[in-house]
């Protein structure tokens, strides 16, 4: 064997987040030619729809001049691992952008990432003397965000966890509920927590997960009674009492209780249904409350006083008084008229007798 034989040696050194590839070509003993390609982050993870940048630098022996650079994607074709230039892949033509130059920068950007952009990417460059391609690759993972709520069915008081699923490690995730930032992804469920949640990655707020609904179920709260005719009620008013409450699921069973004003402690059931109709107030005065119920529980309203207005009672008394007076006056009038008539009758009789007497005497 001649002494000018070519010896090839390959070294691959893994430094944290950095893979320099050093290929020493020893052409002649004593003459060292060195070249390298360095990826700042060989395992980037990026969000679907976002932009990724492969920061990359390359080096070669002083004196060489770079003529051409290219990025390739690795693909299996008929069971063989091949590298296809991005420039030959139509789906990358508008989305890939070479940020590097013909000196030492070989950075690449890919816009509007798709799921199938996941894969191995290689860099190569040609100088006036050699063509070189990186042995190591950048492995890009493209992930979507998928928001989840645990558990599926939540009752007030349960501990809820929000989980933002993604297929690779990303910077911290933040949550929004109906457009507002959520402080904690774990909390004790309350009625007010119902709504639509979505997650985003900090710094990439333009890429949103699909929203996920949280439906917190709770027994009736804030039970209240509405009187159909607020203000003064007259004795013959009819009144509807309507029970309303906040509940999830909505209250579907209402019970009405009535008690006397004097002892509200003993209340008895007087009806059911969301509306209680009282045909006349006069015979139904008292304290009322409604109990709203759903399958998670029940709650009472505060007591509502249904009574005839004070001034109306006075008016009634006044009216009765006037009536009695009118009757008395009428009776008196009748008696007077009768008495007068009786007196007139007897007077006429006397006159007639007088006439007879006159006639007789005439
Ligand atoms: C390229 O190689 C030269 C000589 O080996 C070295 O001085 C320089 O720092 C290297 N540059 C880069 C960007 O690696
Ligand atoms: C790239 O962009 C040009 C002009 O915007 C358009 O005509 C072409 O169809 C695009 N190609 C692909 C593969 O999207
Ligand atoms: C990736 O998927 C898009 C559609 O989602 C398709 O147009 C494109 O051809 C695919 N690219 C590759 C390399 O399979
Ligand atoms: C109940 O009423 C309180 C006070 O008005 C209110 O803050 C709360 O949001 C209400 N609850 C529901 C579930 O509507
Ligand atoms: C009470 O409800 C009934 C049936 O819904 C209705 O016909 C009536 O007019 C209501 N009465 C009042 C005073 O609102
Ligand atoms: C409403 O609740 C009461 C008390 O639990 C029950 O007896 C009644 O059957 C319920 N009514 C309906 C319609 O569910
Ligand atoms: C609601 O009121 C009824 C009638 O006074 C009573 O029996 C029941 O215990 C009350 N329920 C609650 C939860 O206070």
């Amino acid at each position: 064997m001649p002494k000018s034989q070519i010896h090839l040696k390959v070294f691959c050194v893994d430094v944290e987040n950095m893979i320099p590839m050093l290929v020493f070509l020893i052409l002649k003993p004593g003459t060292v030619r060195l070249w390298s390609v360095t990826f700042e982050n060989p395992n980037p993870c990026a969000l679907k729809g976002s932009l990724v940048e492969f920061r990359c630098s390359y080096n070669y022996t002083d004196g060489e001049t770079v003529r051409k650079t290219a990025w390739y994607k690795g693909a299996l074709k008929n069971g063989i691992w091949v590298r296809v230039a991005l420039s030959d892949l139509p789906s990358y033509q508008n989305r890939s952008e070479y940020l590097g130059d013909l000196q030492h920068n070989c950075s690449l950007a890919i816009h509007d990432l798709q799921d199938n952009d996941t894969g191995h990417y290689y860099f190569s460059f040609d100088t006036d003397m050699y063509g070189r391609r990186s042995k190591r690759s950048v492995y890009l993972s493209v992930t979507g965000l998928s928001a989840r709520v645990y558990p599926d069915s939540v009752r007030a008081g349960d501990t809820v966890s929000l989980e933002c699923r993604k297929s690779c490690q990303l910077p911290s995730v933040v949550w929004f509920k109906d457009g507002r930032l959520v402080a904690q992804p774990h909390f004790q469920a309350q009625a007010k927590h119902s709504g639509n949640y979505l997650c985003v990655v900090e710094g990439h707020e333009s890429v949103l997960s699909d929203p996920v609904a949280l439906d917190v179920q709770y027994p009736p709260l804030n039970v209240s009674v509405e009187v159909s005719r607020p203000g003064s009620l007259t004795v013959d008013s009819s009144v509807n009492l309507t029970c309303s409450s906040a509940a999830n699921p909505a209250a579907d069973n209402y019970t009405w209780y009535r008690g006397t004003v004097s002892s509200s402690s003993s209340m008895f059931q007087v009806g059911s249904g969301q509306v209680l109709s009282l045909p006349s107030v006069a015979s139904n005065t008292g304290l009322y409350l409604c109990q709203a119920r759903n399958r998670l529980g029940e709650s009472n309203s505060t007591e509502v006083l249904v009574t005839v207005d004070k001034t109306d009672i006075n008016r009634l008394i006044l009216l009765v008084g006037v009536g009695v007076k009118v009757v008395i006056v009428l009776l008196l009038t009748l008696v007077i008229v009768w008495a007068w008539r009786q007196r007139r009758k007897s007077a006429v009789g006397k006159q007639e007798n007088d006439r007879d007497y006159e006639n007789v005497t005439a």
Side-chain angles (χ1 to χ4, degrees):
M1 273 223 176
K3 267 233 158 159
S4 62
Q5 186 198 353
I6 294 171
H7 298 272
L8 185 74
K9 261 185 169 178
V10 179
F11 295 93
C12 294
V13 187
D14 272 25
V15 183
E16 197 181 9
N17 275 346
M18 193 185 283
I19 302 176
M21 267 148 306
L22 306 170
V23 178
F24 294 95
L25 283 168
I26 299 154
L27 295 169
K28 274 185 264 164
T31 313
V32 175
R33 293 192 180 278
L34 178 144
W35 71 278
S36 69
V37 175
T38 306
F39 303 125
E40 196 178 292
N41 178 4
N43 292 300
C45 173
L47 289 169
K48 188 176 171 177
S50 75
L51 148 85
V52 73
E53 227 178 275
F54 302 155
R55 293 194 182 281
C56 164
S57 58
Y58 63 112
N59 213 349
Y60 41 86
T61 328
D62 288 343
E64 285 181 66
T65 307
V66 179
R67 299 275 183 228
K68 194 179 158 228
T69 63
W71 277 88
Y72 294 78
K73 190 176 183 191
L76 266 182
K77 274 213 175 112
N78 305 321
I80 299 162
W81 190 248
V82 294
R83 300 172 190 210
V84 187
L86 296 190
S87 57
D88 293 336
L89 289 169
S91 66
Y92 285 90
Q93 262 161 33
N94 286 350
R95 296 188 299 121
S96 67
E97 183 188 358
Y98 187 59
L99 304 172
D101 51 30
L102 297 178
Q103 311 296 313
H104 295 286
N105 185 350
C106 48
S107 298
L108 177 79
I110 304 175
H111 299 262
D112 188 21
L113 289 168
Q114 319 280 312
D115 285 324
N116 59 8
D117 292 340
T118 293
H120 293 273
Y121 292 81
Y122 301 85
F123 176 69
S124 75
F125 63 97
D126 295 342
T127 64
D128 47 358
M129 296 158 93
Y130 305 97
R132 279 137 181 174
R133 49 187 211 171
S134 65
K135 253 212 158 80
R136 291 294 189 110
S137 62
V138 173
Y139 183 77
L140 170 67
S141 309
V142 177
T143 180
L145 297 176
S146 162
R148 296 288 158 88
V149 170
Y150 295 98
D152 288 340
S153 159
V154 176
R155 288 186 178 192
D158 290 352
T159 299
V160 172
S161 295
L162 303 173
E163 193 185 296
C164 191
R165 285 198 190 167
K166 48 208 182 328
S167 56
C168 50
Q169 208 58 46
L170 280 167
S172 45
V173 157
V174 289
W175 286 89
F176 288 91
K177 171 186 175 269
D178 300 323
R180 287 193 177 185
L181 192 67
V182 175
Q184 276 293 327
H186 307 282
F187 51 83
Q188 289 244 290
Q190 291 172 34
K192 65 175 182 185
H193 291 133
S194 288
N196 288 315
Y197 289 78
L198 54 79
C199 58
V200 302
V201 170
E202 242 172 345
H204 294 89
E205 279 81 1
S206 61
V207 182
L208 312 171
S209 71
D210 285 336
V212 61
L214 172 61
D215 184 41
V216 180
Q217 303 202 324
Y218 52 93
L221 295 174
N222 295 353
V223 183
S224 65
V225 172
E226 195 200 340
V227 182
S228 62
R229 284 195 193 173
S232 60
L233 295 170
T234 57
V235 269
D236 53 353
S237 300
S238 74
V239 157
N240 286 347
L241 303 181
T242 306
C243 188
S244 53
S245 65
N248 184 16
D252 57 358
N253 186 334
Y254 298 89
T255 310
W256 290 92
Y257 291 91
R258 177 183 165 193
T260 54
V261 180
S262 49
S263 72
S264 66
S265 54
S266 63
M267 298 194 96
F268 50 96
Q269 193 178 331
V270 288
S272 61
Q274 196 171 4
V275 178
L276 182 70
S277 286
L278 304 178
S280 120
V281 171
S283 54
N284 289 296
T285 58
L287 286 171
Y288 286 81
L289 73 74
C290 95
Q291 184 180 69
R293 183 189 296 269
N294 67 8
R295 60 184 159 81
L296 300 186
E298 74 203 32
S299 184
N300 283 354
S301 70
T302 54
E303 289 160 358
V304 171
L305 179 63
V306 173
T307 183
V308 175
D309 197 45
K310 270 268 161 53
T311 60
D312 198 58
I313 294 175
N314 291 341
R315 206 178 307 136
L316 182 73
I317 291 167
L318 198 76
L319 276 176
V320 169
V322 168
V324 168
K325 276 172 202 158
V326 166
V327 166
I328 290 169
V329 166
L330 274 174
L331 278 174
L332 263 176
T333 315
L334 279 174
V335 166
I336 289 166
V337 167
W338 179 80
W340 183 75
R341 277 209 175 158
Q342 286 295 328
R343 262 224 317 262
R344 250 192 84 182
K345 232 189 222 165
S346 60
V348 168
K350 222 171 163 186
Q351 261 179 20
E352 273 170 4
N353 287 347
D354 287 353
R355 222 180 288 146
D356 280 351
Y357 180 74
E358 238 177 33
N359 287 348
V360 169
T361 57

